[in-house]
Amino acid sequence: MQNIAVIGAGYVGLVTAAALAETGNRVLCVDSDTEKIRKLRKGSVPIYEPGLDKIILKNKKLKRLLFSTSIKEATVSAQIIFICVGTPSRQDGSADLSAVQKVSQEIARNIREYKVIVEKSTVPAETGEKIKRTIEMNNPGGVSFDVVSNPEFLREGSAMQDAFHPDRIVLGVASERAEKIMRQLYKPFKAPIVATSINTAELIKHACNSFLATKISFINAIANVCEKIDADVEKVALAMGLDTRIGKEFLRPGIGFGGSCFPKDVDAFIHLAAQKGYDFELLKAARKINQERKDVFIKKIEEALWIIKDKTISVLGLSFKPDTDDIRSSVAIDIVRLLLGAGAKVKVYDPKAMERAKSLLKGATFCDNPYEAVRKSDCMAILTEWQEFKELDLKKIKKILRQPVIIDGRNMFDPQQMRAMGFVYKSIGRSGK
Ligand code: UDX
């Protein structure tokens, strides 16, 4: 059992706190948002993530998971302090690290004995060094401490599964003492540990997310070519994925990658590389392909409807991927905005993300279920691959649509079957005939 503090009760912070409490540690989770902490103390979890609320409530009851707004309290009580605060993008693509700096200063002012300070927020390389310098400068007693980089690889929607069964744990460490403490903490997770320098650990995070984003853009580029020569991208992805050197994950073509990580991380890595004098053209191309995905999708709607203005278009799916209510950098939101901008009447439905989307999509009509959204529409557009959409009663959909047009941005259905049912069905990288 270790005393842990987790600073920042966002996605990464809450999942980290829950997983470490579940493995037997005493965890104090801190956030400056008093309302959030008040709710968490009452047992209300501010984000939707399958399984998270159950683990939080269980460990809260066992008094292994506590909540506070005081970094001082956290620093005094814990031996290991995780920094999980937000690192949003600035206009130029670089990461805004002011929250990380503020937290580091506050920790420094309250250190009275040796602590391990773990950077878990997504940060550019060399942030560990900056955290170390900040703490040294703000720590009046000169107490010894270690900074560790422990990048997070969890995916929203399967964050608990990823937290308990990580493919690997990366530890960027500068001392044997810190490495030993961190290895002990992660023992129950039974995952391979890659221990390395802090800078290398930070670069691993950049490299992983950039590679995955590039992989998605690669298959989307292949989808573009498939459409031009009447080939099937799904079969291409299947065969590529069976090559173990390539692997089958992250080869799903679609409307492009969104979410709070990939777009931001790609920007930050391009920016960091440029700052260091390297023009990361490959990554820039991956970003460009991604930015073009929404136009590719709108073009498909235009091909089917001819003119978008004054048409009623129903959009199924707003979250950046299924099983989450997160709409941060969701391509679906961008597409709805483009449709509204083009003069369409847009009816939207999402199983979880409607509340969050309401303030962003002022002109859209929010519907209680997919059928209500689809009724009397000129076209149904699928933007997020929720299981619920897979189970739609397509006969009913055909009946209630004004014209039987489906534009599927996630390849959820079989084109031949859809056409046999009488739909005009357009998807990604598969024959339009
Ligand atoms: C990602 C990384 O997977 C995770 O390791 C990192 O720590 C945070 O960022 P997340 O953003 O939760 O996780 O979602 P992920 O499942 O990776 O999907 C990101 C985006 O890529 C989504 O918009 C998704 O729709 C898209 N995607 C993913 C594809 O378009 N095709 C794919 O094959 C996979």
Side-chain angles (χ1 to χ4, degrees):
M1 204 274 297
Q2 303 254 34
N3 274 318
I4 313 284
V6 173
I7 319 244
Y11 243 102
V12 172
L14 282 175
V15 172
T16 303
L20 292 174
E22 181 70 9
T23 45
N25 301 289
R26 180 186 175 277
V27 183
L28 181 63
C29 187
V30 176
D31 201 288
S32 55
D33 182 340
T34 44
E35 183 56 18
K36 194 187 254 183
I37 292 299
R38 192 186 64 78
K39 282 192 177 153
L40 280 162
R41 279 185 176 148
K42 280 191 159 175
S44 150
V45 179
I47 51 172
Y48 171 75
E49 179 63 39
L52 177 65
D53 48 354
K54 232 163 114 189
I55 296 177
I56 288 185
L57 293 181
K58 176 184 158 196
N59 286 282
K60 200 175 135 311
K61 223 181 230 168
L62 291 169
K63 301 223 178 330
R64 287 199 301 231
L65 182 54
L66 302 131
F67 299 96
S68 167
T69 52
S70 164
I71 292 181
K72 183 176 178 182
E73 185 188 350
T75 309
V76 171
S77 66
Q79 188 189 18
I80 309 171
I81 303 161
F82 283 85
I83 301 180
C84 301
V85 292
T87 52
S89 280
R90 286 210 203 91
Q91 206 71 43
D92 63 358
S94 66
D96 177 356
L97 299 173
S98 45
V100 174
Q101 185 182 43
K102 245 169 105 182
V103 167
S104 307
Q105 287 168 335
E106 185 80 15
I107 291 171
R109 283 186 209 111
N110 293 293
I111 292 186
R112 299 288 175 267
E113 56 187 346
Y114 176 80
K115 308 277 171 188
V116 178
I117 293 127
V118 187
E119 144 208 303
K120 212 169 185 48
S121 302
T122 299
V123 291
E126 297 183 326
T127 301
E129 284 173 10
K130 290 178 184 136
I131 294 176
K132 184 165 181 268
R133 228 178 312 134
T134 303
I135 298 178
E136 278 166 355
M137 283 191 310
N138 290 275
N139 170 14
V143 179
S144 83
F145 68 92
D146 271 306
V147 171
V148 169
S149 162
N150 173 215
E152 185 52 71
F153 298 100
L154 57 86
R155 291 162 299 176
E156 289 183 22
S158 53
M160 290 325 297
Q161 168 73 12
D162 291 347
F164 287 119
H165 307 283
D167 289 339
R168 75 323 205 172
I169 290 163
V170 175
L171 294 178
V173 285
S175 84
E176 272 178 29
R177 184 175 184 186
E179 183 177 339
K180 208 169 145 203
I181 291 171
M182 293 305 291
R183 279 185 183 275
Q184 185 65 29
L185 180 68
Y186 279 124
K187 223 178 185 169
F189 293 82
K190 297 191 176 75
I193 288 179
V194 180
T196 175
S197 71
I198 296 176
N199 280 357
T200 304
E202 290 167 335
L203 207 85
I204 289 171
K205 172 75 182 187
H206 283 301
C208 290
N209 277 2
S210 298
F211 185 83
L212 291 170
T214 305
K215 204 174 173 189
I216 298 168
S217 279
F218 186 87
I219 200 65
N220 282 330
I222 296 285
N224 287 343
V225 180
C226 282
E227 285 170 13
K228 295 204 187 299
I229 65 160
D230 196 14
D232 182 344
V233 71
E234 291 294 338
K235 289 277 157 54
V236 177
L238 174 72
M240 281 177 72
L242 287 170
D243 185 326
T244 49
R245 291 170 304 175
I246 297 173
K248 64 181 178 12
E249 302 292 332
F250 282 69
L251 284 178
R252 277 180 287 114
I255 57 171
F257 57 78
S260 64
C261 291
F262 283 170
K264 179 182 111 177
D265 293 358
V266 165
D267 282 350
F269 200 19
I270 290 171
H271 191 272
L272 176 93
Q275 235 180 8
K276 297 285 167 191
Y278 178 64
D279 184 8
F280 210 143
E281 287 184 79
L282 174 65
L283 208 46
K284 282 184 179 169
R287 176 171 68 181
K288 183 164 177 280
I289 291 167
N290 199 56
Q291 284 162 347
E292 288 164 356
R293 293 314 289 162
K294 33 184 173 282
D295 304 324
V296 169
F297 190 80
I298 298 281
K299 215 164 147 220
K300 284 180 193 291
I301 299 185
E302 271 170 352
E303 275 165 16
L305 300 186
W306 187 11
I307 290 158
I308 288 182
K309 189 168 181 293
D310 295 332
K311 294 284 179 352
T312 304
I313 298 172
S314 46
V315 164
L316 302 190
L318 297 171
S319 56
F320 82 99
K321 67 176 198 179
D323 292 325
T324 175
D325 62 351
D326 199 339
I327 52 165
R328 285 176 290 174
S329 300
S330 169
V331 186
I333 299 284
D334 290 345
I335 288 176
V336 174
R337 281 182 171 150
L338 286 173
L339 291 172
L340 288 167
K345 183 171 179 281
V346 187
K347 294 164 83 184
V348 299
Y349 170 76
D350 186 284
K352 293 276 178 216
M354 305 258 277
E355 261 328 294
R356 285 180 191 251
K358 271 182 186 154
S359 61
L360 293 181
L361 301 177
K362 284 278 192 274
T365 308
F366 285 76
C367 301
D368 289 337
N369 61 66
Y371 300 103
E372 192 191 317
V374 166
R375 194 173 303 280
K376 295 212 170 101
S377 277
D378 294 296
C379 152
M380 168 176 131
I382 305 175
L383 299 185
T384 315
E385 66 276 37
W386 285 93
Q387 182 60 26
E388 186 180 329
F389 303 155
K390 189 104 199 151
E391 291 157 11
L392 285 173
D393 178 348
L394 291 172
K395 279 192 188 138
K396 185 171 167 184
I397 294 283
K398 184 151 178 268
K399 229 184 254 167
I400 61 179
L401 270 168
R402 192 177 288 150
Q403 44 186 26
V405 179
I406 296 184
I407 316 291
D408 181 356
R410 299 293 186 169
N411 288 358
M412 293 197 80
F413 299 107
D414 179 75
Q416 271 178 359
Q417 278 175 14
M418 295 302 276
R419 270 167 225 136
M421 285 185 76
F423 283 107
V424 172
Y425 177 76
K426 287 179 182 290
S427 54
I428 308 288
R430 300 187 292 182
S431 168
K433 287 162 204 149

